[in-house]
Amino acid sequence: MPDPRRAVESFPAGPSDAGSALGAPIDRPQGDREGGRAAADPRPDPGPRGLDRSPDEAPGVDAAADSAVSGGDSAEPTAGGAETTADGVPAERPETPPVAVRPEPATSPPTRSGDHPDHHPALVEAGVAVAAARPALPAPDPADAYAEAARDVLRGMVASAQEPIAGGRHKVFGRADLAVIPTTSTIASHLPRAVGMGLALERLRRVGSRRVPGTTAEAGGDPATGSPWPPDAIVVCSFGDASVNHATATAAFNTAGWYDHTGLRIPVLFVCEDNGLGISVRSPTGWVAATLRAKPGIRYFAADGSDPAEAYRVAGEAAAWVRRHRRPAVLHLTTVRLMGHAGADAETAYRSPAEIAADVARDPLLATARLLVAAGYATSEELLARYDERGWQIRRIAEEVLDEPKLASPAEVVAELAPRRPVRIFRAVADAADRAAGPNAGARAEAFGGKPPELAGPLTLAQSINAALADGMLDHPGMAVFGEDVAAKGGVYGVTKGLRDRFGGARVFDTLLDETSILGLGLGAGVAGMLPVPEIQYLAYLHNAEDQLRGEAATMRFFSRGAFRNPMVVRVAGLAYQEGFGGHFHNDNSVAVLRDVPGLVVAVPARPDDAAPMLRTCLAAAAVDGSVCAFLEPIALYHTRDLYADGDGEWLAEYAPPGAWAAGHVPIGRARVYGVGSAEDITIITFGNGVRMSLRAAAALADEGVGIRVVDLRWLAPLPVADIVREASATGRVLVVDETRRSGGVGEGVLAALVDGGYVGAARRVAGLDSFVPSGPAARQVLVSAEAITQGARTLLAR
């Protein structure tokens, strides 16, 4: 930060420019601004890209949003014609609003004698009223908001346990009471969440929703709809100029424009802070503006961020436009970077002294000081004295926070990572059962066409998941199911068939083909107070977007001490053994990345009678604890009916009626055990497709007099460690059947759990090869088979 003390009598003059008393950005053309665009741009203003816009649809000048999600007092947009969205939902095309005109002052302000006029032109243009007499600058209060804000920042810098948002876990910025959501350091990874939250805000504004318990929301919710947010709330999301090149940012912009094009509303204001550098890599001149202008469906505003008056004016126009139209916009602020990107970054290695000096001259702090002096609010001496006083105040605060306590134990660090409250989850499942059998019984009968699933006979895995999703939708008004092909088609495997017809296009809808955006919609919806259930069509496709789970969803509670949560149940079709469908993209057996995410719940139901209760548990955990759950569904078992022989129907199962849900509850981290024969000789520990293969192998071994107990893990994270150790110790021989890979597979975790748990018996592993799954019969060469399981058990017995 440049030191104003270097100029005692006056502040350094800004860069010379006849059109601006505060100076223009270096090497950037300036001119009169209109509608947030630089009039000097040689290209004609095309209006919003990808939108039809009336010439008189000018942006308003309402007050700018001052938090991540904020309410205002602008009027509600009026619905236009009877257009519909891509999902058949009536579109909200607001009529063209009247042009907002800034009121003129009633009288010309008097001029005070002295060196400085009371009304600086830049302040008048920004609509800032200036008193006729210069007010006295109050003395700094040691407990004022500025000092407390600085204290919060400094606490983050020193990892103080008293830091208000992350509690010493990370240098993030956030305030729950101001609805400022903390973000991590992953480039642009928070932008998809912003889009998702914008979509959720509109959904809640239009149809309302019962809040998911425990979510944080703006105090001024809408009692008319039950939404936790004010009806005119908007989302504000900032990022840097280098981030516009990141795939995640591109996904967010594309999704916002895509939904706007279909007629759905996304009230999001993206704010690009453009200092021209990504650490040391320069953004090519004009590239950021050209990129942001070219985004279809996103209104472009621009201002000089080093000019406080202009930045205020244009920010107000941008926020008002988004608030009125409920449509996305981007505010492009050109600004400066003072000092290097980080402490170890010596910018003199890639920037010239002249360039650094030019940025110092455009320092927004100095520009603000020039405005205050020019408008007569203060003299330069007074501001310099205030600067010194504040400096010493901040120094004292820094010395104080250095001595504050730090996180001093593992328990303190992980306290808010992923709390597990199994009793409350069980109570939530039992309460859902009571509602389904009681006050919601009529609605349930109607939703299932008079034939609830418990009366439909034995169901497949896919049918059981479908019925459980429907029951979840009935019990959770804020629940939404979405993803590629899940609505009209009912999913590529029919798992979501009929849900849109029962619950409507606002709660079951198709998305664009982009996994990052699908998860981003879920992230935003969860923070907004909904219970999102996105679907990722294939496990291999999740790897395109896994950082949305790792870096955003799973970290939200951790980095906000529970003030914000991202409740979400991500359904993923995956694992191998799918016949007639080639390639590793549709037969992906890689789950290591999921098990590596701290706090993430990973569920793998193998049987229909496990799938429904496990899904109910995940929904309850998301609602009660804000859990992020990956519900991994074995594709090859979706429509499987038989176990031992064709036509035996042994893999089908009845759907439990609501009265049996509590008794059949499946807690997170609890396994299921099958006894075959005496069940005293060998313990097979497995999951997913391995359960069916292991039961078939156990039946063959039972004919040879070998007793097997088969343990279905059901949960890959957290592993059912107590069940693993107990069932292994019961026989003293363990065969781990892992359909994933030997390296990084689930079997490694099981064997480690056995060692840590004190198991001293024999152990052997049968696992897939370290290979992608090939097409056709070649897949059998790298995957686990029932024959390999049988042989592994015999080898174990021979020891």
Side-chain angles (χ1 to χ4, degrees):
M1 183 70 67
D3 189 348
R5 285 186 294 265
R6 61 200 174 100
V8 176
E9 294 299 327
S10 63
F11 287 89
S16 176
D17 186 277
S20 172
L22 300 176
I26 303 300
D27 296 329
R28 293 182 187 269
Q30 293 293 299
D32 295 333
R33 301 278 183 176
E34 181 178 357
R37 298 178 186 270
D41 193 322
R43 297 178 298 172
D45 180 357
R49 301 284 178 157
L51 303 173
D52 294 325
R53 176 172 175 270
S54 170
D56 62 352
E57 192 177 322
V61 290
D62 296 350
D66 60 0
S67 64
V69 181
S70 60
D73 56 4
S74 61
E76 284 290 301
T78 304
E83 297 179 68
T84 59
T85 69
D87 289 305
V89 180
E92 282 198 288
R93 292 282 187 186
E95 294 176 356
T96 301
V99 177
V101 180
R102 182 181 295 107
E104 295 294 334
T107 58
S108 299
T111 301
R112 179 173 56 85
S113 61
D115 297 332
H116 311 294
D118 289 313
H119 271 59
H120 191 279
L123 294 174
V124 174
E125 173 64 17
V128 179
V130 181
R134 176 171 61 85
L137 287 174
D141 181 350
D144 65 17
Y146 297 103
E148 289 308 301
R151 186 184 301 274
D152 290 348
V153 173
L154 291 169
R155 281 172 165 164
M157 299 300 292
V158 302
S160 166
Q162 296 179 21
E163 191 273 328
I165 191 69
R169 292 171 179 83
H170 198 17
K171 293 181 291 185
V172 296
F173 296 96
R175 278 287 295 268
D177 57 335
L178 297 178
V180 179
I181 300 170
T183 59
T184 63
S185 299
T186 309
I187 296 174
S189 63
H190 59 297
L191 270 64
R193 174 191 276 123
V195 176
M197 194 164 189
L199 187 65
L201 287 179
E202 281 304 280
R203 190 266 182 197
L204 293 170
R205 187 176 71 90
R206 293 170 59 188
V207 303
S209 171
R210 187 175 67 192
R211 278 181 59 188
V212 174
T215 52
T216 301
E218 186 79 5
D222 184 5
T225 63
S227 168
W229 305 98
D232 64 345
I234 69 172
V235 182
V236 180
C237 177
S238 65
F239 58 98
D241 55 291
S243 296
V244 301
N245 306 302
H246 200 279
T248 309
T250 299
F253 294 137
N254 183 70
T255 303
W258 189 88
Y259 275 111
D260 186 85
H261 188 76
T262 68
L264 289 176
R265 294 290 167 255
I266 305 284
V268 178
L269 176 60
F270 300 101
V271 180
C272 178
E273 301 171 11
D274 181 4
N275 60 31
L277 289 165
I279 305 184
S280 65
V281 179
R282 299 175 187 274
S283 294
T285 301
W287 170 252
V288 176
T291 299
L292 295 177
R293 282 180 179 271
K295 301 299 182 185
I298 300 178
R299 180 76 162 91
Y300 178 85
F301 294 83
D304 179 4
S306 297
D307 182 334
E310 183 198 9
Y312 178 86
R313 175 180 65 81
V314 179
E317 292 177 352
W321 191 91
V322 173
R323 196 184 307 281
R324 177 177 294 110
H325 297 286
R326 319 303 297 169
R327 296 167 78 176
V330 61
L331 172 59
H332 181 196
L333 294 175
T334 56
T335 184
V336 298
R337 190 187 77 186
L338 303 175
M339 300 182 289
H341 172 78
D345 179 28
E347 62 178 344
T348 53
Y350 52 87
R351 302 187 76 192
S352 68
E355 184 182 4
I356 294 173
D359 267 7
V360 169
R362 293 179 58 226
D363 179 359
L365 178 64
L366 296 180
T368 302
R370 294 186 198 107
L371 269 182
L372 291 173
V373 171
Y377 273 102
T379 65
S380 58
E381 292 84 356
E382 289 172 324
L383 291 179
L384 288 169
R386 172 60 60 89
Y387 182 88
D388 282 335
E389 191 169 0
R390 280 289 186 190
W392 283 108
Q393 183 185 32
I394 299 303
R395 184 182 182 90
R396 288 194 299 270
I397 293 173
E399 292 172 349
E400 292 170 6
V401 301
L402 279 170
D403 295 329
E404 290 182 348
K406 311 299 187 293
L407 296 174
S409 71
E412 285 184 280
V413 173
V414 303
E416 289 294 349
L417 178 61
R420 300 273 183 260
R421 295 183 288 183
V423 174
R424 294 193 184 188
I425 293 173
F426 170 77
R427 186 70 259 166
V429 171
D431 290 345
D434 291 342
R435 288 189 291 269
N440 294 346
R444 186 170 185 265
E446 181 180 355
F448 286 108
K451 189 176 183 180
E454 58 266 26
L455 301 180
L459 304 181
T460 63
L461 180 69
Q463 291 169 333
S464 183
I465 294 172
N466 178 277
L469 286 170
D471 271 325
M473 297 283 282
L474 288 165
D475 193 60
H476 298 277
M479 178 174 160
V481 174
F482 51 92
E484 300 167 19
D485 303 301
V486 304
K489 183 178 175 63
V492 293
Y493 296 99
V495 180
T496 56
K497 185 177 181 180
L499 293 181
R500 189 181 72 163
D501 295 337
R502 297 178 195 174
F503 301 103
R507 298 187 65 192
V508 182
F509 56 91
D510 292 321
T511 64
L512 71 174
L513 197 155
D514 177 57
E515 287 71 30
T516 295
S517 298
I518 292 170
L519 293 178
L521 294 178
L523 291 168
V527 172
M530 296 176 63
L531 182 55
V533 183
E535 178 186 298
I536 300 298
Q537 202 166 81
Y538 290 102
L539 176 59
Y541 300 167
L542 177 66
H543 303 316
N544 301 328
E546 58 201 21
D547 186 56
Q548 291 294 295
L549 286 181
R550 183 196 69 83
E552 294 295 326
T555 64
M556 177 54 72
R557 182 158 192 150
F558 184 71
F559 288 143
S560 68
R561 296 196 297 179
F564 292 100
R565 313 184 317 171
N566 252 129
M568 183 161 58
V569 180
V570 185
R571 294 181 44 252
V572 187
L575 301 178
Y577 300 97
Q578 185 180 190
E579 296 288 344
F581 221 121
H584 71 284
F585 283 111
H586 302 96
N587 282 286
D588 184 30
N589 61 352
S590 176
V591 299
V593 68
L594 294 175
R595 295 189 61 247
D596 185 56
V597 178
L600 182 69
V601 174
V602 182
V604 183
R607 298 289 296 266
D609 49 344
D610 278 334
M614 289 174 69
L615 183 55
R616 280 192 287 270
T617 297
C618 287
L619 292 173
V624 171
D625 288 331
S627 298
V628 182
C629 305
F631 198 76
L632 184 57
E633 303 164 3
I635 297 173
L637 300 178
Y638 267 149
H639 306 296
T640 297
R641 307 177 68 86
D642 307 321
L643 174 55
Y644 302 113
D646 291 345
D648 66 13
E650 292 281 344
W651 204 255
L652 301 175
E654 300 285 343
Y655 189 86
W661 290 359
H665 173 61
V666 178
I668 293 174
R670 290 303 306 272
R672 178 176 181 176
V673 182
Y674 300 84
V676 182
S678 67
E680 295 178 352
D681 298 312
I682 294 178
T683 299
I684 297 178
I685 300 176
T686 187
F687 65 95
N689 294 287
V691 177
R692 184 169 180 267
M693 290 186 292
S694 295
L695 288 173
R696 291 166 67 95
L701 290 167
D703 292 339
E704 302 174 11
V706 179
I708 305 290
R709 59 182 62 201
V710 176
V711 179
D712 178 4
L713 294 171
R714 298 195 292 196
W715 307 93
L716 303 188
L719 282 171
V721 175
D723 296 335
I724 290 172
V725 175
R726 183 189 64 250
E727 297 302 324
S729 299
T731 64
R733 298 185 184 92
V734 173
L735 180 66
V736 179
V737 176
D738 180 7
E739 65 175 287
T740 60
R741 303 166 191 171
R742 295 190 67 84
S743 299
V746 176
E748 290 182 342
V750 172
L751 292 173
L754 287 170
V755 173
D756 291 344
Y759 173 74
V760 294
R764 184 177 176 83
R765 178 168 52 139
V766 177
L769 299 185
D770 289 342
S771 170
F772 298 109
V773 181
S775 300
R780 301 170 190 160
Q781 306 303 316
V782 300
L783 296 175
V784 174
S785 66
E787 293 75 14
I789 297 171
T790 303
Q791 185 58 43
R794 289 173 178 153
T795 302
L796 193 60
L797 284 169
R799 288 186 177 181

